[in-house]
Amino acid sequence: ITRLCVLVDTRSGVLLSQIMVKPEDDEIDVVFGIIINHILQKGKPKRIIVRDGYIFSILMDLCKKIGIEVLISQKLIGIDEFIESLYEHMLQH
């Protein structure tokens, strides 16, 4: 099964980055890559909010070291809207 790693600005709802994660990919490398790439290009965010407890535990140490707050929430409006529009697009084609 292919998964999608998505980075969204929660204030604006703007999609910042997305990466397809294939079964053979190392998901930890993908998550770190998308976060570090964003920091290098746009600067360090004040906080990162994730839905998944596993991803939360992966990011905690890194974010603590560089001063980014990590929160976990089941409700991620920007990502939920993106996924919903993606499904709608797929159903139309």
Side-chain angles (χ1 to χ4, degrees):
I1 188 166
T2 301
R3 295 180 10 172
L4 189 62
C5 183
V6 180
L7 188 62
V8 175
D9 183 316
T10 56
R11 287 178 290 169
S12 67
V14 171
L15 177 68
L16 301 173
S17 185
Q18 64 181 6
I19 297 175
M20 296 297 278
V21 184
K22 297 179 288 293
E24 63 271 13
D25 290 341
D26 183 333
E27 61 188 29
I28 295 172
D29 287 344
V30 172
V31 171
F32 280 143
I34 200 169
I35 298 296
I36 292 169
N37 190 43
H38 176 75
I39 290 170
L40 292 173
Q41 290 184 4
K42 305 289 184 180
K44 183 175 73 169
K46 292 181 181 177
R47 79 180 55 87
I48 296 174
I49 305 170
V50 300
R51 182 184 333 252
D52 185 280
Y54 177 64
I55 301 301
F56 176 82
S57 65
I58 291 171
L59 290 176
M60 266 182 38
D61 189 47
L62 170 69
C63 289
K64 184 177 181 180
K65 288 179 180 176
I66 61 175
I68 299 174
E69 180 182 21
V70 183
L71 303 172
I72 191 165
S73 174
Q74 293 305 310
K75 189 173 184 178
L76 300 174
I77 296 168
I79 291 181
D80 293 339
E81 289 174 354
F82 170 76
I83 298 299
E84 187 176 312
S85 69
L86 183 65
Y87 281 133
E88 287 175 9
H89 178 74
M90 288 171 54
L91 289 174
Q92 293 174 358
H93 296 294

